[in-house]
Amino acid sequence: MIKPVCLVIGAGAGIGGTVGKKFAAEGYHSVLCRRSDEEGLQKLVAEIQAEGGEATGYLLNAVDEGTLEERIAAVEAEIGPIQVVLFNLGAQIGNRSLEDTPLKTFELGWRMATLALFRVAKEVIPHMEQRGGGTILVTSATAAVRGNAGQHSHAAAMGGRRMLCQSLNAEYAARNIHVAHILVDGAVDAPDTLGKMVGAEAFQKLRETRGAEDGLLLPEHMAETYYHVAHQHRSSWTHELDLRSYSDLAWWNHR
Amino acid sequence: MIKPVCLVIGAGAGIGGTVGKKFAAEGYHSVLCRRSDEEGLQKLVAEIQAEGGEATGYLLNAVDEGTLEERIAAVEAEIGPIQVVLFNLGAQIGNRSLEDTPLKTFELGWRMATLALFRVAKEVIPHMEQRGGGTILVTSATAAVRGNAGQHSHAAAMGGRRMLCQSLNAEYAARNIHVAHILVDGAVDAPDTLGKMVGAEAFQKLRETRGAEDGLLLPEHMAETYYHVAHQHRSSWTHELDLRSYSDLAWWNHR
Amino acid sequence: MIKPVCLVIGAGAGIGGTVGKKFAAEGYHSVLCRRSDEEGLQKLVAEIQAEGGEATGYLLNAVDEGTLEERIAAVEAEIGPIQVVLFNLGAQIGNRSLEDTPLKTFELGWRMATLALFRVAKEVIPHMEQRGGGTILVTSATAAVRGNAGQHSHAAAMGGRRMLCQSLNAEYAARNIHVAHILVDGAVDAPDTLGKMVGAEAFQKLRETRGAEDGLLLPEHMAETYYHVAHQHRSSWTHELDLRSYSDLAWWNHR
Amino acid sequence: MIKPVCLVIGAGAGIGGTVGKKFAAEGYHSVLCRRSDEEGLQKLVAEIQAEGGEATGYLLNAVDEGTLEERIAAVEAEIGPIQVVLFNLGAQIGNRSLEDTPLKTFELGWRMATLALFRVAKEVIPHMEQRGGGTILVTSATAAVRGNAGQHSHAAAMGGRRMLCQSLNAEYAARNIHVAHILVDGAVDAPDTLGKMVGAEAFQKLRETRGAEDGLLLPEHMAETYYHVAHQHRSSWTHELDLRSYSDLAWWNHR
């Protein structure tokens, strides 16, 4: 029997890969796409298969022309119907002052965080609509709701992404397409993104500082909520929600 | 063995009673409080018990002095530890122009929608904190995020309520108290609130207009999300979320 | 000739008194109301009169029954038509934990910040409407848009106030009543409120720290914007705006 | 004596040209840039000069590489110091369903509404900073704060623009650069944009429907507020404000 597909765009060892595992464990075929690290990707796929789940992995550069479109078409043709998309691409480039943000960098942020979602939506929604529905989960960040120094590229891209999610819901909810904007308000315990960005030592310190072992957002628990939102009854959909560790403060509060 | 208690303030046949049933089915003792209709209340209790669950019902006027405080103290002393509160009191009085909104009405709205939550928080949080944590789920409405003609009382009361929820989280999240503001964006299929407000015929028409049988928000499905939020791991809490039917538009969009 | 009246509720030496002076200098009769300090009040009145302006001062406790209503009726009967109201009552009580916030304190915050505005609106709008229009300027704070630890009373009251402003606009804009919610995002150089709250020494230090002599919000410059908003053409009204010093950060940004 | 320059990007007969006239009347040299209609442009310039003001006009395609940068450099070198920029480019393309929005259209919206502002900021801010300060006024729309069906391109671009404005303020306010995001909430009485979009007859009808002669936002009155915001004292800057006709409803309210 062909399983429904959960397509993950941005499947690292943090949110993306972990949500992919969760959906595979619940009966989906998880298609995991990431830009680089074939070894890490195959490790994820193997872990899912070792637990009896189905998964396939692809390296894919989301900003290259046609890549997302071709992957979606191929998955639909060769693997199964994409019932859920997790759009999990970030566009965080650290703090970059205005003068240290070239036009190309600003554009790249938009291509990853905004345009790539638009491309995915354009390609996958017709398939979903034809089958009577589908779900697009979008990982987002506080940059989607407030600007900050050094965040010119990131905030502009994420703010655009959020408005796009709202527009997609306004147009497609009544046709059974559910788009959820999940605002991750805090640091995620993701060794290969945050960990690399801050360095191993600082990362471990951060883990320890933020209250015992669960002060950072833990992907395996975030995945529970991603899964829940994707399976809400259509009479009661959530379109915007936040996720934050108990030990952290909301983005607008200060220590 | 003493079950944990889910205390519902505002337990009608819509969200309140249905969430109470869900928690009882999952192993809680549901304590259902409502202002009137002893018969309806006992029917709810009986339904829960018939399914093998535990429930107790009380009539209680939330705006009267001491009522909420005494009920909480008594439940803690006589039934069990309140692990979850569902604060489900509305303050909708229909559209009332400024001149048709007496001071007493404006005050009553605040006493029900804002002060009552403050009183519940003050009374229940010390118990929760002593035990290491707890959850307060707060049903809210679009009036919490935007004013409207005829909504002077309702919007002021709900806007205050939302800011109170944020303040409670800012102060208590790190002490393991989780407050969730659940913005219900649309009409709920609740015969004894919405049904009574618009009349039986109009209510049935509304049900039919809004897309087959699930165009209104269905409490049994909303309850799934209430339950999920109350059981999120503390590394990944949701503090604000919306619920809206697929067939409806967001509060800011127009037909 | 009878001058139009600018009625200031909350006329201390900061925003309230300074806006009163500005309107008097522009041809209004400023009616200044404050709770206490008859001497400070008469000093303000004398300063306005010394510059050739018209002003009258009253002590008035805004939370007492009937006070606002009687003052508005008397001003309309004895001084002139109230064309502009500046509602400038704060409800800041410093940081108070939940347990250190008695019900009476929580209620008092609401009576000052929310109910008093509702009472003013109910009393003054019929006069304005009969004359074809009027303006209500409302000083507000960041607590109106986000909660915080220790701000249970303040945030709930200000959040309610903002929703009330939006409701009033929704109902009365088309009848030429303009309500403007002015979010003051930062510390105001107001010796008799902020100055008293933090103490003379800390206040002077704050003044010096925040960039030369204009790091705090300076009331005489804020008054320019208050006056501008009150005199916008009705085709182009502003309903919500912020005011913040160049040297400060937005409430959502952190140092 | 060299006058300070007010550079208008998007100087049609509506907001852009009218604000340009206002600043010229107040002593600025207005540099008016628009994409097409040399005749209309020279008419604007001539009108300003006929009133004794200074103005220069340029045709300029803001999405072409280098155009904005070269124009800013040339103005600084040949005309005078750019003290104020009015960034007035829209990206409204009418309602376009997702399938009727090609990637190129989506990208064009972003190039006009988001990237062009980023390019202007990168080029003009170093000049401003060197001189000790400057102002960037940004005309914006409701699409910056909420998505809608058919607004995929527009909302994503404007949402990104707003977050960019906030980021610029966070980075540059303390260096005396003031960025104001002016949310125009309603139809503007602009014959050559709205008028062309809806057609002459519908436009006249709209004018008449929305309450006498001032139901649409009138650019000459909007210009008063643009000018005011650009001349606020730095102790009391406004960063976000709305403009809406008295006869209209807020974007979140429905008729």
Side-chain angles (χ1 to χ4, degrees):
Chain A
M1 204 194 78
I2 294 175
K3 291 183 170 186
V5 169
C6 171
L7 172 66
V8 180
I9 308 295
I15 297 172
T18 309
V19 172
K21 282 185 191 177
K22 168 70 181 172
F23 276 75
E26 300 282 353
Y28 285 77
H29 184 123
S30 285
V31 175
L32 307 174
C33 302
R34 58 193 289 175
R35 193 178 48 189
S36 58
D37 187 7
E38 176 75 29
E39 195 184 322
L41 179 62
Q42 292 312 328
K43 186 162 162 281
L44 269 174
V45 169
E47 284 169 6
I48 289 173
Q49 292 170 340
E51 310 243 332
E54 283 187 16
T56 317
Y58 299 97
L59 293 188
L60 169 160
N61 191 337
V63 301
D64 286 348
E65 202 180 322
T67 49
L68 293 162
E69 293 81 357
E70 286 159 23
R71 182 49 48 215
I72 289 169
V75 168
E76 285 278 342
E78 297 159 19
I79 300 185
I82 300 172
Q83 192 164 309
V84 176
V85 173
L86 167 57
F87 186 84
N88 193 51
L89 294 180
Q92 181 54 279
I93 50 168
N95 275 333
R96 299 281 288 264
S97 72
L98 183 64
E99 58 185 326
D100 289 339
T101 311
L103 295 196
K104 278 295 161 204
T105 303
F106 189 81
E107 178 165 346
L108 186 62
W110 171 78
R111 287 198 179 277
M112 286 179 64
T114 319
L115 181 65
L117 174 59
F118 180 74
R119 289 167 56 201
V120 165
K122 266 186 84 73
E123 188 69 23
V124 82
I125 283 180
H127 292 288
M128 289 178 168
E129 206 180 348
Q130 202 185 355
R131 285 190 293 267
T135 303
I136 303 178
L137 305 171
V138 180
T139 301
S140 190
T142 56
V145 284
R146 62 106 174 75
N148 207 348
Q151 297 287 303
H152 308 285
S153 162
H154 190 221
M158 299 305 268
R161 178 192 280 197
R162 179 166 169 251
M163 288 300 104
L164 177 56
C165 288
Q166 292 189 356
S167 298
L168 290 170
N169 271 313
E171 193 159 311
Y172 286 103
R175 293 184 246 170
N176 258 325
I177 313 286
H178 177 197
V179 181
H181 182 271
I182 304 172
L183 196 158
V184 180
D185 184 8
V188 178
D189 195 328
D192 67 354
T193 52
L194 181 65
K196 278 180 188 159
M197 203 159 84
V198 302
E201 200 175 338
F203 183 57
Q204 188 53 35
K205 197 176 162 192
L206 192 60
R207 273 177 159 165
E208 286 162 8
T209 315
R210 293 284 178 81
E213 64 265 25
D214 52 5
L216 298 178
L217 285 140
L218 297 176
E220 64 266 38
H221 296 297
M222 302 171 77
E224 299 289 331
T225 292
Y226 278 71
Y227 188 81
H228 175 78
V229 170
H231 294 86
Q232 288 177 311
H233 186 268
R234 67 177 189 169
S235 78
S236 312
W237 279 348
T238 294
H239 306 82
E240 298 206 350
L241 67 155
D242 60 345
L243 287 176
R244 184 170 64 242
S245 170
Y246 81 103
S247 63
D248 213 343
L249 290 175
W251 53 267
W252 58 80
N253 289 141
H254 305 214
R255 268 173 212 287
Chain B
M1 204 193 78
I2 293 175
K3 291 184 170 185
V5 168
C6 171
L7 173 66
V8 180
I9 308 295
I15 297 171
T18 309
V19 172
K21 282 184 190 177
K22 168 71 180 172
F23 276 75
E26 301 281 354
Y28 285 77
H29 185 123
S30 286
V31 176
L32 308 173
C33 301
R34 58 193 289 176
R35 193 179 46 190
S36 58
D37 187 7
E38 175 76 30
E39 195 185 323
L41 179 62
Q42 292 312 328
K43 187 163 161 281
L44 269 174
V45 169
E47 283 169 7
I48 289 173
Q49 292 170 339
E51 310 244 332
E54 283 187 16
T56 315
Y58 299 97
L59 293 188
L60 168 160
N61 190 337
V63 301
D64 286 349
E65 200 180 322
T67 50
L68 294 161
E69 292 81 357
E70 287 160 22
R71 181 48 50 214
I72 289 169
V75 168
E76 285 277 342
E78 297 159 19
I79 300 185
I82 300 172
Q83 191 165 309
V84 177
V85 173
L86 167 57
F87 186 83
N88 193 51
L89 293 181
Q92 181 54 278
I93 50 167
N95 276 332
R96 299 281 289 264
S97 71
L98 184 64
E99 57 185 328
D100 289 340
T101 311
L103 295 195
K104 278 295 162 204
T105 302
F106 190 81
E107 178 166 346
L108 186 61
W110 170 78
R111 287 197 178 278
M112 286 179 64
T114 319
L115 181 65
L117 174 58
F118 180 74
R119 288 167 54 201
V120 166
K122 266 187 84 73
E123 188 69 23
V124 84
I125 284 179
H127 292 288
M128 290 178 167
E129 205 180 350
Q130 201 185 357
R131 284 190 293 266
T135 303
I136 303 178
L137 305 171
V138 180
T139 301
S140 190
T142 56
V145 284
R146 63 106 174 76
N148 207 349
Q151 296 288 303
H152 308 285
S153 163
H154 190 221
M158 298 305 268
R161 178 192 280 198
R162 179 166 169 252
M163 288 301 103
L164 177 56
C165 288
Q166 293 189 356
S167 299
L168 291 170
N169 271 313
E171 193 159 313
Y172 286 103
R175 292 184 247 171
N176 258 325
I177 313 285
H178 177 198
V179 182
H181 182 270
I182 304 172
L183 196 158
V184 179
D185 184 8
V188 178
D189 195 328
D192 68 353
T193 52
L194 181 65
K196 277 180 188 158
M197 202 158 84
V198 302
E201 202 175 336
F203 184 56
Q204 187 52 35
K205 198 176 160 192
L206 191 62
R207 274 178 158 164
E208 286 162 8
T209 315
R210 294 284 177 81
E213 62 267 24
D214 52 6
L216 298 178
L217 284 141
L218 298 176
E220 63 267 37
H221 295 297
M222 302 172 77
E224 299 289 332
T225 293
Y226 278 71
Y227 188 81
H228 175 78
V229 169
H231 294 86
Q232 289 177 310
H233 186 268
R234 67 177 189 168
S235 78
S236 312
W237 279 348
T238 294
H239 307 81
E240 298 207 352
L241 68 155
D242 61 345
L243 288 175
R244 184 170 63 243
S245 171
Y246 80 104
S247 63
D248 213 341
L249 291 175
W251 53 266
W252 58 80
N253 290 142
H254 304 212
R255 271 175 209 287
Chain C
M1 205 193 76
I2 293 175
K3 292 184 170 185
V5 168
C6 171
L7 173 66
V8 180
I9 308 295
I15 296 171
T18 309
V19 172
K21 282 185 190 175
K22 167 71 181 170
F23 275 76
E26 300 282 353
Y28 284 76
H29 185 122
S30 285
V31 176
L32 307 173
C33 302
R34 58 193 289 178
R35 193 178 47 190
S36 58
D37 186 7
E38 176 74 31
E39 195 184 322
L41 178 63
Q42 292 312 328
K43 185 162 163 282
L44 268 175
V45 169
E47 283 169 6
I48 289 173
Q49 291 170 340
E51 310 244 332
E54 282 187 16
T56 315
Y58 298 98
L59 293 187
L60 168 160
N61 191 337
V63 302
D64 286 348
E65 200 180 323
T67 50
L68 294 162
E69 292 81 357
E70 285 160 24
R71 181 48 51 213
I72 288 169
V75 169
E76 285 277 342
E78 297 159 19
I79 299 184
I82 300 171
Q83 193 165 308
V84 176
V85 173
L86 167 57
F87 186 83
N88 193 52
L89 294 180
Q92 181 54 278
I93 50 167
N95 276 332
R96 300 281 287 265
S97 72
L98 183 65
E99 58 186 327
D100 289 339
T101 310
L103 296 195
K104 279 294 160 205
T105 302
F106 190 81
E107 178 165 345
L108 187 61
W110 170 77
R111 288 198 178 276
M112 287 180 62
T114 319
L115 181 64
L117 174 59
F118 180 74
R119 288 167 54 200
V120 166
K122 265 186 84 74
E123 187 69 24
V124 83
I125 283 179
H127 292 287
M128 290 177 167
E129 206 180 348
Q130 201 186 356
R131 286 190 293 267
T135 303
I136 302 177
L137 304 171
V138 180
T139 301
S140 192
T142 55
V145 285
R146 61 105 175 77
N148 207 349
Q151 297 287 303
H152 308 285
S153 163
H154 190 222
M158 299 305 267
R161 179 192 279 197
R162 178 166 170 253
M163 288 301 104
L164 178 56
C165 288
Q166 292 189 355
S167 298
L168 291 170
N169 271 313
E171 192 159 313
Y172 285 103
R175 292 185 245 171
N176 258 325
I177 313 285
H178 178 196
V179 181
H181 182 270
I182 304 173
L183 196 158
V184 180
D185 184 7
V188 178
D189 195 326
D192 69 353
T193 51
L194 181 65
K196 278 180 187 158
M197 203 158 82
V198 302
E201 201 174 336
F203 183 56
Q204 188 52 35
K205 197 175 161 192
L206 192 60
R207 273 178 159 165
E208 286 161 9
T209 316
R210 293 284 177 81
E213 64 266 24
D214 52 5
L216 297 178
L217 284 142
L218 298 176
E220 63 267 37
H221 296 298
M222 301 172 78
E224 299 289 332
T225 293
Y226 277 72
Y227 187 81
H228 175 78
V229 169
H231 293 86
Q232 289 177 311
H233 186 267
R234 67 178 189 167
S235 79
S236 312
W237 279 349
T238 294
H239 306 83
E240 298 207 352
L241 68 155
D242 61 345
L243 288 175
R244 183 171 63 241
S245 170
Y246 80 103
S247 63
D248 213 342
L249 291 176
W251 54 267
W252 58 80
N253 289 141
H254 305 213
R255 269 173 212 288
Chain D
M1 204 193 76
I2 293 175
K3 291 184 170 185
V5 168
C6 172
L7 172 66
V8 180
I9 308 294
I15 296 171
T18 308
V19 171
K21 282 185 190 176
K22 168 71 181 171
F23 277 76
E26 300 281 353
Y28 285 77
H29 184 122
S30 285
V31 176
L32 307 173
C33 302
R34 57 193 290 176
R35 193 179 48 189
S36 59
D37 187 6
E38 176 74 32
E39 195 185 321
L41 178 62
Q42 291 313 329
K43 186 162 163 281
L44 269 174
V45 168
E47 284 170 6
I48 289 173
Q49 291 170 341
E51 309 244 332
E54 283 187 16
T56 315
Y58 298 97
L59 293 188
L60 168 159
N61 191 338
V63 302
D64 287 349
E65 200 180 322
T67 50
L68 293 162
E69 292 81 358
E70 286 160 23
R71 180 50 49 215
I72 289 169
V75 168
E76 284 277 341
E78 297 159 19
I79 299 184
I82 300 172
Q83 192 164 309
V84 177
V85 173
L86 167 57
F87 186 84
N88 193 51
L89 293 180
Q92 181 53 276
I93 50 167
N95 276 332
R96 300 281 288 265
S97 71
L98 183 64
E99 58 186 327
D100 290 338
T101 309
L103 295 195
K104 278 295 161 205
T105 303
F106 190 81
E107 178 166 344
L108 186 61
W110 171 76
R111 289 198 177 277
M112 287 179 62
T114 318
L115 181 65
L117 174 59
F118 180 74
R119 288 166 55 200
V120 166
K122 265 186 85 74
E123 188 69 24
V124 82
I125 283 179
H127 291 288
M128 290 178 166
E129 207 181 347
Q130 201 185 357
R131 285 190 293 267
T135 303
I136 302 178
L137 304 171
V138 181
T139 301
S140 191
T142 55
V145 284
R146 61 107 175 75
N148 207 349
Q151 298 286 303
H152 308 285
S153 163
H154 190 222
M158 299 306 267
R161 178 192 280 196
R162 177 165 170 254
M163 288 301 103
L164 177 56
C165 289
Q166 292 188 357
S167 298
L168 291 170
N169 270 314
E171 192 158 312
Y172 286 104
R175 291 184 247 171
N176 258 326
I177 313 286
H178 177 197
V179 182
H181 182 270
I182 305 173
L183 195 158
V184 180
D185 184 8
V188 178
D189 196 326
D192 69 353
T193 50
L194 181 65
K196 277 180 188 159
M197 201 158 84
V198 302
E201 201 175 336
F203 184 56
Q204 188 52 36
K205 198 176 159 190
L206 192 59
R207 273 179 159 165
E208 286 161 8
T209 315
R210 292 283 177 82
E213 65 266 23
D214 52 6
L216 297 177
L217 284 141
L218 297 176
E220 63 266 37
H221 295 298
M222 301 171 78
E224 298 289 332
T225 293
Y226 278 71
Y227 187 81
H228 175 78
V229 169
H231 294 86
Q232 288 176 312
H233 186 269
R234 68 177 189 167
S235 79
S236 312
W237 280 347
T238 294
H239 306 83
E240 298 207 351
L241 67 155
D242 61 344
L243 288 175
R244 184 171 64 242
S245 170
Y246 80 104
S247 64
D248 213 342
L249 290 177
W251 53 267
W252 59 79
N253 289 140
H254 305 213
R255 269 172 212 287

